[in-house]
Amino acid sequence: DLVFVAKLMHRIRRLAATPATLLFYRDNPDSATNRSMTERQIRSYAQAARILHDHFRCEALSHQEARMVSTFISTLVYKTCAAPFLRDGEGLKQEALLNLSRGLVSDLMGCGAVDMRSLSLRKRLICLCFLRGWLSLARRLDSLVSRKGR
């Protein structure tokens, strides 16, 4: 869904918005979004990031569009592959899942899909701590700023 919507939004040249509420959100405690990340979810998000990177690399983008795409992909990877381990006690207990996530983030950085420069300084520091295995420092940085908002 994510890849489809991103490609579709890129092709749209005009967009209309309305302040009307068209969709209601219901928080279900049994929802997949309220559970710990699974290997399948992490791999799926990493794959989506790689597909988007490969797709938009072949497109003729303006400088502003390229920055927006880079920020979108980098933030997606940060929020789905690194941030869940900073707040989820269950995820931290799964060392294999943590190592998988670190490896995927590292691979995505290596191929250029994740550009650390497109992340805020706070997210860059947290991501670097996450990749180096300094989770307690990454969690502290995350919790300090969590009070202020994301």
Side-chain angles (χ1 to χ4, degrees):
D1 290 348
L2 181 72
V3 173
F4 172 77
V5 170
K7 287 179 179 180
L8 180 68
M9 292 300 290
H10 178 253
R11 294 203 183 276
I12 293 174
R13 291 295 163 209
R14 293 178 189 243
L15 181 69
T18 177
T21 303
L22 302 175
L23 177 71
F24 289 94
Y25 173 74
R26 189 177 79 109
D27 190 15
N28 182 354
D30 296 329
S31 169
T33 57
N34 290 327
R35 293 191 211 135
S36 298
M37 292 293 277
T38 64
E39 178 180 346
R40 181 176 176 209
Q41 286 173 310
I42 292 171
R43 286 188 187 278
S44 176
Y45 282 120
Q47 181 183 17
R50 189 176 298 270
I51 289 169
L52 287 173
H53 172 69
D54 291 345
H55 172 77
F56 285 109
R57 186 175 50 187
C58 298
E59 296 286 323
L61 301 176
S62 69
H63 178 70
Q64 182 181 9
E65 286 177 321
R67 274 191 23 237
M68 288 171 56
V69 167
S70 177
T71 300
F72 175 76
I73 294 172
S74 298
T75 303
L76 168 73
V77 171
Y78 170 81
K79 286 185 173 182
T80 58
C81 295
F85 291 99
L86 304 177
R87 293 173 221 114
D88 184 14
E90 288 299 312
L92 293 173
K93 293 177 185 171
Q94 299 177 359
E95 189 71 27
L97 201 57
L98 184 60
N99 290 334
L100 168 72
S101 189
R102 271 195 205 123
L104 290 172
V105 172
S106 184
D107 290 347
L108 289 168
M109 286 174 64
C111 77
V114 173
D115 181 8
M116 294 292 270
R117 294 171 298 179
S118 62
L119 294 173
S120 67
L121 178 60
R122 171 183 76 85
K123 288 180 182 172
R124 265 186 262 172
L125 290 171
I126 292 170
C127 198
L128 289 172
C129 290
F130 171 78
L131 289 171
R132 291 207 167 88
W134 303 336
L135 291 180
S136 60
L137 179 58
R139 270 188 253 120
R140 281 196 180 160
L141 288 169
D142 183 62
S143 69
L144 287 174
V145 222
S146 292
R147 296 180 199 130
K148 205 172 152 188
R150 302 228 166 258

